[in-house]
Amino acid sequence: MNKTKEIWIAGFALFSLFFGAGNLILPPNLGVKAGEDWWIVVLGFIATAIIIPILAIFAHAKLQGTLYDFGKKVSPVFSTLFCFLIYIIAIAIPSPRTAAVTHEMAIQPFFDSPAILTSIIYFVLVFLFSVNRSRIIGLIGKFLTPIIVIILLVIIGISFFVSSGTLEVTSFKNPFIDGVLEGYQTFDAIAGVVVGAVIIISLDYSNHNSFGERKRLIRKAGLIAGIGLLLIYGGLILSGALFASSFAENASRIDVLSGLSTQTLGSFGTTFLSVLVALACFTTAVGIVTGTADYIKGICNNSKAAYVATAAICSVIGIIVGSYNVGFIIDVAVPALMFLYPITIMLILLNVVPEKYASKIVFRAVILVTFIFSIPDFLGFIIPRENLTGIKSIIPLAEHSLGWVLPAILVFVIFNVKKFGKA
């Protein structure tokens, strides 16, 4: 295969991995709130929704392993626990969220039926497709992504011409930080460490014999995927900002995306987009349930019974959580993400830096400090924030829910200076 063609194919594969239909509800709403500071929000959003996930793929290319390999330098016990937590989060939040998005975008506007009914039918089908491992899902996924991307580019393009062009004053106190934290909700860093290995393994390396050539392929493919995501996410944030005045102050994320498509494509275009998003959400849910069931099957001596039981449990959880509205699921996700995302980000970064700067002791120290300093951020969404005022006032960036960042960087630098100072 021609090397240039191979790079583009790999780039589109990576783009499809991170382009989750559930993510589409996030950028337009950010734009509505960002107003004139939309570009600052874009910078924050791409940090956690694009750059970190792409770096996760680079880490996989370097490790040539699985999710377990990301944390094995800390300890085998930690890595096993990390894997379990990642999969539990995946089946408890992003998977059910796809059912909620499907109900609110594709069912609720047309049928007067309860969300629990949608959730039951949705996850019964997810279970059946997961157990039967149908290739139809893979084929649907290949065609859905390009069509949705084209529709979104049309929405973005039309919004430049039909909007008033007037940008509202931002409602964010810290646009960059709000963009960073909303990027957590894409779950793409988690997607990168969970399924990144599948993408790496599936790439055709026949024209790239050396390890260096393979890494160059991944870097170029990652750049293509990153630019694609930037165009879509950035465009949707700007479109939301341009139409901000047309939405009510309490408009939900689903309302904003649907309203944006109606104002640019009309009611028929919105209906078409809703159906496509629903199908894309379904393929995502099947992928999460199948991946989780495969993991449990692997640690249970390839037991088919373990696979089926796991798929069933994932589907039951999906039915229960998926019956709630999207806003509630996103709010519930925040504490879990505040706990798990910082650790995931640091594991990605530590696995990307050169080996000489990421010894076992550095891994252990950085992850321990990240965990400790992310506790106030995690607790801030569970207990009254005034109870944490004292501790947050002495930790830099803690008031922005990023109190772990500087301590983790400082520990990384100190341990490496100490190491190389002795050399």
Side-chain angles (χ1 to χ4, degrees):
M1 184 188 296
N2 178 276
K3 288 186 178 182
T4 301
K5 183 180 179 182
E6 187 179 358
I7 290 168
W8 279 96
I9 289 174
F12 284 125
L14 292 178
F15 176 86
S16 298
L17 165 65
F18 296 119
F19 186 74
N23 297 351
L24 297 183
I25 64 174
L26 303 173
N29 187 62
L30 266 180
V32 169
K33 294 179 179 179
E36 60 189 5
D37 289 337
W38 67 271
W39 62 275
I40 302 177
V41 170
V42 168
L43 293 177
F45 191 72
I46 65 174
T48 46
I50 301 178
I51 295 174
I52 294 297
I54 294 297
L55 288 178
I57 299 299
F58 293 173
H60 268 299
K62 177 183 173 184
L63 292 171
Q64 296 288 307
T66 64
L67 173 61
Y68 176 84
D69 294 293
F70 270 80
K72 66 181 181 181
K73 275 191 175 182
V74 179
S75 81
V77 173
F78 166 83
S79 196
T80 301
L81 181 61
F82 176 72
C83 290
F84 270 107
L85 287 174
I86 287 287
Y87 282 113
I88 288 170
I89 291 295
I91 64 172
I93 299 173
S95 178
R97 189 175 73 181
T98 62
V101 169
T102 296
H103 178 75
E104 293 185 29
M105 280 202 72
I107 305 298
Q108 193 175 58
F110 311 105
F111 304 100
D112 185 22
S113 59
I116 186 66
L117 179 60
T118 301
S119 194
I120 290 171
I121 296 172
Y122 186 92
F123 276 101
V124 166
L125 292 172
V126 166
F127 175 74
L128 292 175
F129 273 90
S130 299
V131 170
N132 294 310
R133 315 274 311 203
S134 174
R135 289 183 68 247
I136 294 175
I137 286 295
L139 293 173
I140 290 175
K142 283 184 179 179
F143 294 105
L144 278 178
T145 297
I147 296 173
I148 293 176
V149 167
I150 291 170
I151 292 176
L152 291 176
L153 289 175
V154 170
I155 289 174
I156 293 166
I158 293 176
S159 68
F160 295 151
F161 298 100
V162 302
S163 69
S164 64
T166 304
L167 296 174
E168 302 285 313
V169 176
T170 183
S171 62
F172 288 138
K173 290 183 179 179
N174 298 284
F176 180 80
I177 300 297
D178 284 297
V180 167
L181 297 180
E182 189 76 351
Y184 281 19
Q185 288 287 352
T186 65
F187 286 88
D188 281 346
I190 291 175
V193 297
V194 170
V195 268
V198 177
I199 295 291
I200 298 299
I201 293 169
S202 65
L203 293 177
D204 179 11
Y205 281 154
S206 58
N207 294 328
H208 304 269
N209 298 319
S210 71
F211 184 62
E213 286 182 339
R214 293 178 181 181
K215 286 207 295 186
R216 280 192 290 274
L217 164 66
I218 297 300
R219 287 196 189 102
K220 292 177 181 178
L223 183 61
I224 291 170
I227 291 173
L229 290 169
L230 175 60
L231 289 174
I232 296 297
Y233 289 154
L236 287 175
I237 290 173
L238 176 56
S239 297
L242 290 170
F243 281 98
S245 61
S246 64
F247 295 106
E249 189 176 338
N250 61 345
S252 70
R253 293 171 175 84
I254 294 285
D255 291 338
V256 172
L257 177 59
S258 297
L260 188 61
S261 60
T262 299
Q263 293 180 71
T264 53
L265 299 178
S267 57
F268 175 77
T270 301
T271 302
F272 186 51
L273 177 63
S274 297
V275 173
L276 290 177
V277 167
L279 288 171
C281 280
F282 183 74
T283 64
T284 300
V286 171
I288 291 172
V289 171
T290 302
T292 305
D294 275 335
Y295 175 73
I296 299 300
K297 177 184 177 182
I299 62 177
C300 293
N301 298 317
N302 290 318
S303 167
K304 182 165 178 61
Y307 179 92
V308 174
T310 304
I313 293 170
C314 292
S315 299
V316 170
I317 293 172
I319 289 172
I320 297 169
V321 181
S323 64
Y324 291 94
N325 65 60
V326 174
F328 174 79
I329 295 173
I330 287 176
D331 290 341
V332 168
V334 172
L337 290 173
M338 287 298 171
F339 170 71
L340 203 56
Y341 234 75
I343 293 173
T344 303
I345 289 173
M346 291 314 301
L347 285 175
I348 290 170
L349 295 177
L350 288 170
N351 279 295
V352 168
V353 300
E355 199 79 21
K356 62 181 180 179
Y357 300 117
S359 61
K360 283 187 177 182
I361 187 65
V362 170
F363 259 82
R364 290 169 181 170
V366 169
I367 296 304
L368 177 61
V369 167
T370 300
F371 169 70
I372 292 172
F373 281 87
S374 63
I375 290 175
D377 300 335
F378 164 72
L379 291 177
F381 289 90
I382 297 178
I383 64 176
R385 295 200 174 192
E386 54 267 24
N387 294 352
L388 298 168
T389 304
I391 189 168
K392 285 208 167 194
S393 65
I394 60 175
I395 302 175
L397 299 179
E399 69 273 20
H400 302 304
S401 299
L402 293 172
W404 56 274
V405 174
L406 291 180
I409 294 172
L410 188 61
V411 167
F412 175 80
V413 171
I414 288 172
F415 272 78
N416 274 291
V417 168
K418 185 178 178 182
K419 174 185 174 182
F420 291 105
K422 291 180 179 180

